[in-house]
Amino acid sequence: MKRNNFSFFEIKKYLNKKDFIISKKKNNQKESNIGNISRTFLASLLIMSFFSISPIVVDFVKNRTIASKDFENNSKSSLKKLLEKKDIESDKVINQNFLFEDILIFDEKPTDLVRLSAATIEELFKSTNYSLEDVRKNKLVKPISLTLLPNEIKKIENTKKRKDFFIQIILPLVIKENNNIRLDRKKLFDILNKSKNTKAEKVWLNSKFKQYGVVNKDLSTLKIRMDEIPASMAIAQAAKETGWGTSRFAQEGNALFGQWTWSGEGIKPSEADDDSTHKVMKFKVLQASVRAYQRNLNTHSSYKNFRGARAELREEKKKLDSIILSEHLDKYAETGKEYVRVLQQIIKQNNLTDFDDAKLLPSSINLESLI
């Protein structure tokens, strides 16, 4: 077998070449290690820079939110969750500390508490051409604001005349309160559509959160609670609770809606048990009673389904239908569904929905835009 032999010079040449290759590999590995260290250092520097800068970026973004740092506008998504019944519990939480504070202050304001007779009021309506027939036709209501009901209303024997007389007294008061809410609601949406809020706007929002018992400055809850009550439904409830203005509560305490209270001033129901502590809330003026009624429906947890139904109608851009909404007032009285049936009967028999789109003739510049 033939063998392949290498000379000494060939072997030395081979070993020198091998040493060169090994040395080159070591140098390449050393350079690679240095490159890895450099890249690691650079990456660490970038990460530290990111965490140093990110708080500044976050603060900048927060300051640019639609309702500022204090009032982040996530109300649209929150409202959608509530309407889909995924977050229905959010409208049940109420801060009751300031719910009626503004109403009590309003009710204590000095005012002319002269009780006009039914005859004087009728003459006032005639002299100003204020009739329900005209309202049904032209949808315009004279801004006549009475502070007290006339005692003689119970003496009006003609049922239709007594009902119409009561409606004429109550209708301007209800529309006035709806106008106030409408102006507030317009201001709320104006604020939400701005890129930055002023200090005055933040103060206003805080006051509304208190008035409507909203916790955690939740804008979706405020939008749901700050809304109107259909005039037809308010009139029907006032008629039911007062016997069309003839009840003792209405005559003695301007209590148009039979709201209960366990503290403060009130009228003790004659049929109440001796150990019962509740009273019917009393007011100095009729307007305060209407405002308290609307605040009650717009905040109390018993009427969250009513507010949810109203919000759905708003979302679908539909008219606030008193027949649909009254279905959710079964907790207003102990009679439950029977109470709802009676309300709906009053609305239909007296064609009260004719007044839902009626406007109050302006008594101030602010109201002119609502006509």
Side-chain angles (χ1 to χ4, degrees):
M1 180 180 293
K2 186 176 178 179
R3 295 184 178 182
N4 295 318
N5 296 321
F6 296 96
S7 66
F8 171 77
F9 294 103
E10 288 175 328
I11 293 173
K12 185 177 180 180
K13 184 178 179 181
Y14 169 76
L15 292 176
N16 288 338
K17 186 176 181 181
K18 186 176 181 182
D19 289 341
F20 173 77
I21 294 172
I22 292 172
S23 176
K24 188 175 181 180
K25 286 183 177 180
K26 287 182 178 180
N27 289 334
N28 290 339
Q29 186 175 2
K30 185 176 180 180
E31 291 176 358
S32 177
N33 289 338
I34 293 173
N36 288 336
I37 293 173
S38 299
R39 285 191 291 271
T40 301
F41 176 76
L42 182 61
S44 300
L45 185 62
L46 289 173
I47 291 172
M48 287 188 292
S49 299
F50 171 77
F51 283 106
S52 298
I53 297 173
S54 59
I56 299 174
V57 175
V58 170
D59 287 340
F60 175 78
V61 172
K62 282 186 177 180
N63 288 331
R64 297 289 294 177
T65 53
I66 193 166
S68 80
K69 181 180 177 182
D70 293 329
F71 309 107
E72 186 177 357
N73 185 23
N74 59 354
S75 55
K76 187 172 183 180
S77 59
S78 299
L79 178 61
K80 184 177 180 182
K81 287 181 182 179
L82 191 147
L83 294 180
E84 291 175 352
K85 310 301 182 185
K86 294 178 182 178
D87 195 26
I88 195 67
E89 297 299 312
S90 64
D91 190 34
K92 289 179 64 176
V93 183
I94 308 171
N95 179 0
Q96 300 185 28
N97 294 334
F98 307 98
L99 277 182
F100 296 97
E101 185 179 63
D102 62 306
I103 298 173
L104 294 175
I105 293 173
F106 169 78
D107 198 36
E108 290 295 330
K109 286 183 179 179
T111 186
D112 184 7
L113 294 179
V114 176
R115 189 185 297 273
L116 301 178
S117 66
T120 301
I121 295 173
E122 283 182 321
E123 187 60 34
L124 174 64
F125 290 162
K126 288 179 181 179
S127 64
T128 56
N129 296 318
Y130 175 33
S131 70
L132 294 187
E133 183 181 353
D134 184 65
V135 173
R136 294 180 193 276
K137 180 180 178 181
N138 299 315
K139 306 300 181 184
L140 295 177
V141 179
K142 301 297 172 64
I144 298 173
S145 183
L146 298 177
T147 56
L148 303 168
L149 288 172
N151 288 325
E152 298 88 352
I153 193 171
K154 64 182 70 173
K155 297 178 181 180
I156 302 176
E157 295 181 359
N158 185 294
T159 302
K160 186 180 185 308
K161 184 178 179 180
R162 184 173 66 249
K163 286 182 177 181
D164 286 353
F165 188 60
F166 179 75
I167 294 172
Q168 281 179 287
I169 294 173
I170 301 303
L171 182 57
L173 305 176
V174 172
I175 297 179
K176 183 177 181 179
E177 287 307 315
N178 276 337
N179 283 349
N180 290 336
I181 292 176
R182 194 179 305 175
L183 287 170
D184 279 348
R185 196 169 163 84
K186 182 180 182 300
K187 185 170 183 177
L188 174 63
F189 281 88
D190 287 342
I191 289 175
L192 296 181
N193 288 327
K194 293 177 64 175
S195 60
K196 190 175 181 180
N197 302 141
T198 65
K199 184 178 179 180
E201 288 170 341
K202 293 177 185 178
V203 170
W204 181 85
L205 274 175
N206 278 324
S207 71
K208 295 306 169 183
F209 287 137
K210 289 180 179 180
Q211 284 181 12
Y212 287 90
V214 178
V215 298
N216 301 324
K217 297 179 179 180
D218 184 65
L219 289 169
S220 63
T221 301
L222 182 60
K223 288 202 298 187
I224 288 174
R225 292 181 183 178
M226 183 192 286
D227 207 344
E228 302 168 48
I229 308 295
S232 57
M233 195 172 82
I235 295 170
Q237 286 195 268
K240 173 68 173 68
E241 296 297 328
T242 67
W244 295 94
T246 63
S247 73
R248 179 169 67 96
F249 303 126
Q251 291 289 326
E252 295 181 10
N254 286 314
L256 295 174
F257 300 94
Q259 291 176 250
W260 286 10
T261 181
W262 282 263
S263 61
E265 291 190 27
I267 302 173
K268 183 80 171 179
S270 56
E271 70 277 6
D273 298 333
D274 293 336
D275 58 349
S276 177
T277 59
H278 82 272
K279 299 177 182 178
V280 175
M281 290 180 69
K282 63 183 298 185
F283 305 91
K284 291 185 178 179
V285 295
L286 293 170
Q287 193 73 57
S289 178
V290 177
R291 188 173 297 183
Y293 154 76
Q294 291 191 333
R295 188 68 53 80
N296 185 36
L297 287 189
N298 281 333
T299 58
H300 200 284
S301 58
S302 295
Y303 314 118
K304 60 180 174 56
N305 290 333
F306 159 79
R307 296 190 293 272
R310 182 178 60 185
E312 286 183 357
L313 292 175
R314 290 294 195 194
E315 191 73 6
E316 296 167 3
K317 301 188 184 305
K318 293 181 179 178
K319 182 180 179 181
L320 297 185
D321 190 320
S322 58
I323 299 299
I324 293 175
L325 296 178
S326 61
E327 287 287 345
H328 305 283
L329 295 182
D330 53 296
K331 293 183 179 180
Y332 198 92
E334 294 179 352
T335 52
K337 289 297 181 182
E338 175 62 16
Y339 178 78
V340 172
R341 187 193 67 78
V342 172
L343 281 186
Q344 293 178 345
Q345 185 178 22
I346 293 173
I347 292 171
K348 293 175 182 178
Q349 287 183 348
N350 297 279
N351 298 315
L352 297 182
T353 54
D354 289 347
F355 307 121
D356 283 340
D357 52 354
K359 307 294 183 183
L360 191 66
L361 283 169
S363 56
S364 69
I365 296 175
N366 289 335
L367 294 178
E368 289 183 1
S369 60
L370 300 178
I371 300 298

